Amino acid sequence: MTDDPEATLEQWKESMQAEHAEAIENPDPEADHRIEGVAQVSYRVTFDYDPEADSLERADREQVEELADPELLSCACASAG
Ligand SMILES: [Zn+2]
């Protein structure tokens, strides 16, 4: 049944996902897809002991690697929902 709203929604989602995947593979400057990924950078953090508070306080941080491009990209344009 093609007029099943659930199935129609699933079909719509699949066609949108295919469109986003295509946009990620072949970026089109004319299309307003917004490609996103999440990247992490590691820091080395040093602590100083604070005897008054009897606790460790963060003293310094040093970036230990460069920000790299994320492996997983997704499309976060308005139509992605
Ligand atoms: Zn998109």
Side-chain angles (χ1 to χ4, degrees):
M1 291 255 294
T2 49
D3 58 354
D4 174 1
E6 289 266 323
T8 306
L9 182 62
E10 283 306 309
Q11 270 183 5
W12 180 81
K13 278 188 192 169
E14 275 176 30
S15 71
M16 285 311 298
Q17 277 172 357
E19 196 182 307
H20 296 315
E22 171 78 12
I24 291 166
E25 285 291 315
N26 307 297
D28 178 357
E30 300 293 314
D32 60 348
H33 287 274
R34 190 158 66 91
I35 312 303
E36 281 188 350
V38 176
Q40 291 185 317
V41 176
S42 294
Y43 286 87
R44 179 180 295 111
V45 183
T46 54
F47 292 84
D48 282 342
Y49 178 64
D50 179 353
E52 293 209 352
D54 191 26
S55 65
L56 290 169
E57 302 293 330
R58 197 166 73 190
D60 204 4
R61 65 177 188 177
E62 176 194 352
Q63 190 175 329
V64 295
E65 64 183 345
E66 290 302 312
L67 182 63
D69 285 344
E71 281 181 22
L72 281 175
L73 295 177
S74 63
C75 187
C77 68
S79 56

Short mmCIF file of all heavy atoms in Angstrom, two decimals, residues 20 33 75 77 79, ligand 1:
data_model
loop_
_atom_site.label_atom_id
_atom_site.label_comp_id
_atom_site.label_asym_id
_atom_site.label_seq_id
_atom_site.Cartn_x
_atom_site.Cartn_y
_atom_site.Cartn_z
N HIS A 20 21.21 13.45 0.51
CA HIS A 20 22.27 13.97 1.38
C HIS A 20 23.58 13.22 1.11
O HIS A 20 24.64 13.84 1.04
CB HIS A 20 21.90 13.81 2.85
CG HIS A 20 20.69 14.61 3.24
ND1 HIS A 20 20.51 15.92 2.87
CD2 HIS A 20 19.62 14.27 3.98
CE1 HIS A 20 19.35 16.34 3.36
NE2 HIS A 20 18.79 15.36 4.04
N HIS A 33 23.14 22.21 0.93
CA HIS A 33 23.31 21.17 1.94
C HIS A 33 24.39 21.65 2.90
O HIS A 33 25.34 22.31 2.51
CB HIS A 33 23.76 19.85 1.30
CG HIS A 33 22.66 19.16 0.55
ND1 HIS A 33 21.76 18.32 1.17
CD2 HIS A 33 22.30 19.22 -0.75
CE1 HIS A 33 20.91 17.87 0.25
NE2 HIS A 33 21.21 18.40 -0.91
N CYS A 75 24.82 15.24 6.63
CA CYS A 75 24.27 16.47 6.11
C CYS A 75 23.28 17.01 7.14
O CYS A 75 22.41 16.30 7.61
CB CYS A 75 23.56 16.23 4.78
SG CYS A 75 23.05 17.76 4.03
N CYS A 77 21.49 19.98 6.67
CA CYS A 77 20.71 21.07 6.10
C CYS A 77 19.29 21.02 6.65
O CYS A 77 18.90 20.05 7.30
CB CYS A 77 20.72 21.00 4.58
SG CYS A 77 19.83 19.61 3.89
N SER A 79 16.48 20.32 5.59
CA SER A 79 15.60 19.21 5.24
C SER A 79 15.99 17.91 5.92
O SER A 79 15.30 16.92 5.82
CB SER A 79 15.60 19.00 3.72
OG SER A 79 16.90 18.80 3.25
ZN ZN B 1 21.09 17.88 2.91
#
